[in-house]
Amino acid sequence: MPIAVDIDVMLARRKMSVGELAERVGITPANLAVLKNGRAKAVRFSTLAALCEVLDCQPGDLLRWEAEDAVDESAERAAEAVGGE
């Protein structure tokens, strides 16, 4: 998917755990993990707003668009690194 999720980056910058963020935003850690790992099909604006409020950031700090080719290339590089090719 060409939308990349950078919640991990903001968590590291804020020195906050996933559990703490989930609690402060009001969502389950499992749902936050789905969003954080890029497996979510959608995100509610109210959830995005709560994430931004808790992390003191803008939506663009959490979500970014990547060209489909760039996503495919990075996946190929990761597969090669794991496979040792």
Side-chain angles (χ1 to χ4, degrees), residues 28-82:
T28 67
N31 283 341
L32 181 57
V34 168
L35 179 59
K36 183 174 74 76
N37 295 323
R39 295 188 318 260
K41 300 288 185 207
V43 60
R44 292 179 184 190
F45 282 165
S46 58
T47 302
L48 184 58
L51 286 165
C52 290
E53 182 176 355
V54 170
L55 293 169
D56 189 29
C57 66
Q58 293 295 312
D61 296 326
L62 301 177
L63 304 172
R64 64 187 157 78
W65 176 82
E66 291 182 343
E68 197 69 44
D69 292 341
V71 172
D72 292 341
E73 289 174 14
S74 65
E76 286 175 14
R77 283 193 299 273
E80 288 174 2
V82 170

Side-chain angles (χ1 to χ4, degrees), residues 2-44:
I3 300 296
V5 182
D6 290 328
I7 291 176
D8 283 339
V9 173
M10 293 307 297
L11 282 171
R13 287 182 182 165
R14 302 299 186 251
K15 297 182 173 118
M16 187 181 298
S17 71
V18 173
E20 180 183 354
L21 179 60
E23 184 178 325
R24 292 179 62 184
V25 169
I27 61 176
T28 67
N31 283 341
L32 181 57
V34 168
L35 179 59
K36 183 174 74 76
N37 295 323
R39 295 188 318 260
K41 300 288 185 207
V43 60
R44 292 179 184 190

